[in-house]
Amino acid sequence: RQGMPGSDGGGVFQGWAGGYPEIVKENELFERYYRELGIVPAGEWDAFMAALREPLPATLRITGYRSHAKEILHCLKEKYFKELQDLEVDGQKVEMPQALSWYPEELSWHTNLSRKILRKSPQLEKFHQFLVSETECGNISRQEAVSMIPPLLLNVSPHHKILDMCAAPGSKTAQLIEMLHADMNVAFPKGFVIANDVDNKRCYLLVHQAKRLNSPCIMVVNHDASSIPNLQIDVDGRKEVLFYDRILCDVPCSGDGTMRKNIDVWKKWTTQNSLQLHGLQLRIATRGVEQLAEGGRMVYSTCSLNPIENEAVIASLLEKSQGALELADVSSELPGLKRMPGITKWKVMLKDGQWFEEWKDVPSNRQTQIRPTMFPVTDEEKLKAMNLERCLRILPHHQNTGGFFVAVLIKKSPMPWNKRQPKVHQKLPQSTGDSEGAAANSDNGCECATGEAALAENKESKEVQELQNLDTEQSKKERVCGPPPSKKIKLFGFKEDPFVFLPEDDPLLLPIQKFYALDPSFPKMNLLTRTQEGKKRQLYMVSKELRNVLLNNSEKMKVINTGIKVWSRNSDGEQFGCAFRLAQEGIYTLYPFIHARIVNVCIDDVKILLTQENPFLSKFSSETQKKVKDMAMGSIVLKYDPDPGKPGDLQCPIVLCGWQGKTSLRAFVPKNERLHYLRMMGVEVFKAKRKEEEPESKTQEEVQRRLAQAEEGMDVEDKEHDLVVKMEAEIGEESSHSPVESSAMETENVDLDQSSKNSHISQENENTDTSDAKD
């Protein structure tokens, strides 16, 4: 939410006794304001206020695009929830988690269990470990219930081009990615998500969330949402402006709907917060609808109850659109969700308690604080045509949630000020360096978007187009999509590595193609690296559509991250015909194109692979031993297919990356993913925490720390391999088999007993417990 206190999130299992200092949950101005506005139905005020004073239940969502989402649900219901039945802690019966009635397919649950309670019994601690581990794998997302609504109302299909304007910390972005991958048999959906946030640091939190989902269709960018640049794409040799089919506009807000979770809102709440944010919210929403395709859908949402941030923004947007936009009627969508209709009448109040009913009543000395767009439309006919009652407001006491506001907009025609623009938008994006200052000083967003765009465009178009053509040609020649030149955009602190696409005739590709017998349809032009010079250590992959975006917009876009790792360089690998081993995070994308080095394994083999570090071939089934007997050493694919005739076994397919040595076979799977697969197979992986664990030797601790750092810094390709080799020497671990296996281990080789973190934890999010409250 662009760093605002009202960012979506649902702290994990904070529930009761969340560890907050005692704060008096009273605010007289808040009560006076909302009583007067009448957003709460008659007779429900006491229930509304009582709900606000209660802690928020924690909610979790099972990620829906993986084929084993149903297996996780089955595991939760049949194992963990059953163990909680009739369980008592301190003489109190433990409350069972409940499915959210309005969320599809029972994939979202809420619970009142706090961290404190979760640690009071082995069964609850086991449940807590399951939640933490599965969250790090990306199989469960901990997210506030109301925060799940906007992506559901976007109605996303796998071919949609989606913009998430204020995306951090990324739980809604994760939902959007899941929707793109609704069909797991399609490795590269035609759609993509561009997730943006104004705060550079929060962008990395966003990267962490997105990486757990291993999608080649997500790009994280760093811009001010109110002036996010227009992008171009190549359509049959022509340059065209990129318009999005779906836009999520979850704007910064005062966050008074989050009082149950962010308790300090009680003492900090004032109407001034909404008055200051209204202009920025309107500018972001305006920029959103400008970039929306005709027939496209934009969801505007806030975690605020205040009409100044909600209906006033929507009404102003509808009025400016002159019929180009309409509010969608979503009353039949999400059955089971209790909601209040949008309101059509409201007043504006200053922080001193002074009310104003119309703009004409506002004295001149208050006209910078209060703007005309904050008031309701007075023309009854216009007001009726807006259908503001189609907006929806979620009140906390109706379904034990936070407070929330959502409006769904459909674009019927271009915005009035865009109608006479040429097909290719030629205006340079404005500098984003001081955009926040401009946002704070500007009084509202309605005038700036109208006449100025066309004037500026006519003035600059010729010069700008020449510059852009030059830059685009140059970047296409070099296949580099690096940080944009500083002359075009001020890039304060922007130091990301470039994105360099591999030429189709790159000598690296031929041995990879041969070794893995890649299908002729394999889109090798989508492979990229993060280094322009030196040895390429990692190969990443994006979808064809994102490649198009990257190649055509390197001069105007601040890309933080995109693509998934599909291959890693393996020292000594050349002697076996391929210098690159498969990476687990990209295996589900690569697998459909691989025709060699695939070994089908049974469920007992999978258990051995995931519980033993470097098992001898003799431990595996005779079928597996036969398959690998004549296979050359090196990276392999280990595939498990469920047997419908054995319903007691795991009923979803698994694809693992492995390494075949002279006398052994091992899996390269990060720790939490190993634990996940083992849980799904019914293997007990719970390890109770001991109060006094034996300290590891200093050397071992240092090695583990550096292993974790190497995984976290996986984009620093030219350093990672040397670091790993050095660490192996420090540990003094000589492989009992060939030296190739040892070097192939690199950093994904995590033993089940190690206490190292999951490989994808970002710098901002090292500690699971501290990160919980963020999302």
Side-chain angles (χ1 to χ4, degrees):
R1 273 288 163 82
Q2 296 208 4
M4 294 304 297
S7 61
D8 81 294
V12 163
F13 316 114
Q14 278 175 191
W16 319 113
Y20 291 104
E22 203 53 49
I23 289 175
V24 179
K25 297 177 183 178
E26 299 285 346
N27 188 306
E28 189 194 336
L29 195 67
F30 174 88
E31 292 205 41
R32 180 143 58 97
Y33 183 71
Y34 282 116
R35 270 186 190 274
E36 183 69 24
L37 290 181
I39 66 159
V40 178
E44 294 184 20
W45 181 260
D46 290 343
F48 167 71
M49 289 304 297
L52 283 179
R53 292 187 177 105
E54 286 293 322
L56 189 68
T59 41
L60 61 95
R61 184 173 54 77
I62 299 166
T63 58
Y65 86 81
R66 295 190 177 179
S67 58
H68 51 254
K70 283 181 182 170
E71 289 290 327
I72 298 168
L73 178 61
H74 179 77
C75 185
L76 258 179
K77 288 167 74 172
E78 296 304 312
K79 179 174 168 55
Y80 293 96
F81 291 170
K82 275 191 175 174
E83 288 180 4
L84 301 185
Q85 276 177 350
D86 307 318
L87 185 67
E88 287 192 5
V89 175
D90 295 343
Q92 261 189 315
K93 193 172 183 301
V94 169
E95 198 174 319
M96 288 294 293
Q98 299 293 320
L100 296 183
S101 61
W102 47 268
Y103 201 95
E105 298 179 54
E106 282 195 322
L107 290 176
S108 188
W109 294 73
H110 70 97
T111 170
N112 281 322
L113 299 171
S114 72
R115 281 206 198 107
K116 195 175 175 183
I117 293 171
L118 281 166
R119 289 178 177 141
K120 281 196 169 184
S121 86
Q123 286 93 336
L124 286 172
E125 192 187 338
K126 200 186 290 187
F127 179 47
H128 186 237
Q129 278 191 22
F130 168 81
L131 295 172
V132 170
S133 181
E134 291 297 312
T135 300
E136 287 179 0
C137 290
N139 300 316
I140 281 178
S141 182
R142 290 170 276 181
Q143 179 181 358
E144 191 174 337
V146 287
S147 157
M148 302 173 192
I149 298 168
L152 292 175
L153 291 178
L154 265 180
N155 285 357
V156 169
S157 292
H159 65 277
H160 283 149
K161 301 176 186 71
I162 307 164
L163 173 64
D164 190 348
M165 298 187 80
C166 311
S171 53
K172 296 184 187 73
T173 313
Q175 274 179 279
L176 298 173
I177 297 169
E178 291 163 31
M179 292 168 185
L180 284 184
H181 291 273
D183 184 352
M184 276 298 288
N185 296 317
V186 180
F188 293 99
K190 288 190 175 175
F192 56 77
V193 177
I194 293 180
N196 173 70
D197 203 82
V198 71
D199 187 310
N200 186 266
K201 284 182 181 172
R202 284 166 64 84
C203 281
Y204 291 96
L205 189 58
L206 196 50
V207 169
H208 166 61
Q209 283 276 50
K211 271 192 172 178
R212 299 181 313 159
L213 293 166
N214 296 333
S215 170
C217 307
I218 167 76
M219 181 189 290
V220 176
V221 298
N222 178 206
H223 291 275
D224 173 6
S226 64
S227 56
I228 194 166
N230 270 0
L231 303 182
Q232 293 180 359
I233 49 171
D234 206 342
V235 180
D236 302 324
R238 297 187 320 275
K239 287 281 180 65
E240 290 190 8
V241 174
L242 169 60
F243 288 102
Y244 300 94
D245 303 299
R246 297 289 186 267
I247 294 181
L248 180 55
C249 185
D250 187 47
V251 296
C253 67
S254 64
D256 61 17
T258 69
M259 281 175 149
R260 300 180 67 178
K261 179 183 63 172
N262 298 324
I263 302 184
D264 58 346
V265 176
W266 281 97
K267 61 179 180 182
K268 291 180 179 175
W269 189 91
T270 162
T271 53
Q272 192 66 21
N273 299 338
S274 296
L275 300 180
Q276 286 174 339
L277 284 163
H278 169 88
L280 175 62
Q281 291 163 337
L282 184 51
R283 280 194 302 281
I284 293 173
T286 302
R287 189 71 192 114
V289 294
E290 284 177 340
Q291 299 202 330
L292 189 62
E294 286 178 54
R297 183 179 267 223
M298 181 174 101
V299 169
Y300 174 91
S301 62
T302 74
C303 44
S304 166
L305 300 170
N306 201 324
I308 307 300
E309 302 176 61
N310 298 327
E311 284 92 346
V313 173
I314 296 300
S316 179
L317 201 55
L318 289 169
E319 191 168 26
K320 282 198 299 176
S321 81
Q322 297 174 20
L325 299 172
E326 75 169 6
L327 272 169
D329 181 359
V330 292
S331 56
S332 61
E333 296 180 36
L334 303 186
L337 177 67
K338 291 179 185 170
R339 61 198 93 185
M340 294 297 296
I343 60 174
T344 54
K345 300 289 179 193
W346 61 89
K347 298 185 286 187
V348 178
M349 185 171 84
L350 288 173
K351 64 179 178 181
D352 61 7
Q354 191 178 358
W355 288 98
F356 299 99
E357 295 204 24
E358 292 185 64
W359 167 247
K360 64 180 176 61
D361 301 334
V362 181
S364 56
N365 67 333
R366 295 293 193 187
Q367 288 184 1
T368 51
Q369 281 178 288
I370 298 178
R371 301 300 302 152
T373 51
M374 295 176 183
F375 291 91
V377 175
T378 50
D379 184 322
E380 286 298 326
E381 205 171 305
K382 262 189 186 179
L383 185 63
K384 193 179 177 187
M386 285 180 178
N387 296 309
L388 286 179
E389 69 283 351
R390 290 181 177 176
C391 300
L392 55 109
R393 184 179 269 99
I394 310 296
L395 296 178
H397 63 292
H398 282 165
Q399 279 176 306
N400 198 10
T401 64
F404 214 70
F405 175 88
V406 187
V408 182
L409 292 154
I410 307 286
K411 188 171 181 180
K412 297 166 75 179
S413 60
M415 302 307 286
W417 56 91
N418 290 138
K419 279 180 179 167
R420 285 181 293 281
Q421 286 188 9
K423 207 170 188 186
V424 178
H425 191 85
Q426 296 164 338
K427 188 182 174 187
L428 273 176
Q430 67 189 66
S431 165
T432 61
D434 52 4
S435 55
E436 286 207 33
N441 295 329
S442 174
D443 45 46
N444 65 50
C446 62
E447 296 88 7
C448 63
T450 52
E452 291 175 15
L455 288 171
E457 200 158 325
N458 293 336
K459 195 176 174 183
E460 295 178 10
S461 61
K462 202 171 182 182
E463 180 189 344
V464 168
Q465 193 58 48
E466 284 170 12
L467 278 168
Q468 286 186 349
N469 288 344
L470 269 173
D471 279 352
T472 306
E473 285 308 307
Q474 187 61 30
S475 70
K476 270 200 161 178
K477 276 180 199 169
E478 297 172 6
R479 285 186 157 79
V480 174
C481 295
S486 56
K487 287 178 184 173
K488 300 277 174 68
I489 295 180
K490 292 177 190 172
L491 299 175
F492 297 110
F494 187 68
K495 294 176 183 173
E496 276 298 317
D497 293 330
F499 295 82
V500 187
F501 283 96
L502 265 63
E504 286 191 59
D505 56 357
D506 193 299
L508 280 182
L509 293 175
L510 195 60
I512 291 175
Q513 274 181 292
K514 277 186 178 175
F515 192 71
Y516 297 103
L518 294 181
D519 196 89
S521 67
F522 177 70
K524 53 189 177 182
M525 75 287 290
N526 298 359
L527 287 169
L528 59 87
T529 64
R530 298 296 304 274
T531 179
Q532 281 174 270
E533 295 164 12
K535 224 172 185 183
K536 296 172 178 70
R537 298 283 177 202
Q538 317 280 3
L539 299 183
Y540 300 88
M541 198 155 201
V542 293
S543 65
K544 182 177 76 174
E545 289 73 18
L546 273 189
R547 179 183 189 272
N548 192 344
V549 173
L550 274 165
L551 283 177
N552 286 292
N553 300 281
S554 61
E555 75 282 2
K556 62 169 76 172
M557 201 167 53
K558 297 200 298 186
V559 181
I560 299 297
N561 201 282
T562 191
I564 50 168
K565 183 165 69 172
V566 285
W567 279 291
S568 290
R569 185 177 286 277
N570 171 64
S571 64
D572 305 330
E574 288 95 334
Q575 62 182 291
F576 301 107
C578 186
F580 287 86
R581 67 173 176 84
L582 297 160
Q584 181 66 27
E585 67 191 69
I587 193 61
Y588 285 94
T589 299
L590 274 188
Y591 178 73
F593 302 100
I594 296 174
H595 295 309
R597 306 196 60 77
I598 297 171
V599 177
N600 286 88
V601 289
C602 65
I603 196 156
D604 291 329
D605 288 342
V606 177
K607 287 175 185 175
I608 291 167
L609 284 162
L610 296 176
T611 53
Q612 298 184 30
E613 183 52 44
N614 195 12
F616 286 103
L617 284 171
S618 57
K619 292 190 176 181
F620 293 93
S621 65
S622 54
E623 290 85 355
T624 298
Q625 290 182 49
K626 279 178 203 166
K627 286 169 193 165
V628 298
K629 188 181 173 189
D630 301 319
M631 202 179 276
M633 285 171 62
S635 187
I636 58 170
V637 178
L638 299 154
K639 176 79 193 300
Y640 164 75
D641 285 306
D643 182 351
K646 296 180 180 175
D649 284 356
L650 182 68
Q651 288 301 303
C652 65
I654 293 178
V655 184
L656 305 174
C657 290
W659 182 269
Q660 187 201 338
K662 281 179 183 171
T663 56
S664 66
L665 194 61
R666 61 151 41 110
F668 280 144
V669 183
K671 177 188 172 186
N672 281 309
E673 237 174 291
R674 288 189 186 209
L675 295 176
H676 161 70
Y677 290 129
L678 288 168
R679 279 191 202 98
M680 296 303 107
M681 291 185 289
V683 177
E684 184 61 70
V685 293
F686 173 67
K687 185 179 171 185
K689 290 179 185 173
R690 289 169 294 175
K691 286 186 179 176
E692 291 178 21
E693 293 189 351
E694 289 177 28
E696 295 182 52
S697 71
K698 205 169 186 181
T699 311
Q700 187 70 8
E701 277 181 2
E702 177 67 10
V703 169
Q704 294 302 339
R705 183 180 65 78
R706 290 172 67 184
L707 274 166
Q709 282 177 349
E711 281 286 20
E712 281 176 15
M714 60 187 171
D715 287 343
V716 190
E717 298 157 310
D718 53 342
K719 293 179 184 173
E720 185 188 82
H721 182 261
D722 296 336
L723 179 67
V724 173
V725 171
K726 193 175 176 186
M727 284 190 291
E728 284 171 356
E730 282 176 8
I731 298 172
E733 255 183 30
E734 287 182 26
S735 173
S736 57
H737 310 297
S738 76
V740 180
E741 292 175 69
S742 178
S743 60
M745 283 172 63
E746 298 199 23
T747 51
E748 279 180 299
N749 208 16
V750 187
D751 187 80
L752 282 177
D753 290 331
Q754 290 175 1
S755 57
S756 56
K757 297 282 182 189
N758 176 274
S759 63
H760 302 320
I761 298 181
S762 66
Q763 299 169 64
E764 285 79 30
N765 205 5
E766 284 176 346
N767 186 301
T768 306
D769 279 350
T770 57
S771 72
D772 292 342
K774 293 176 186 173
D775 201 21

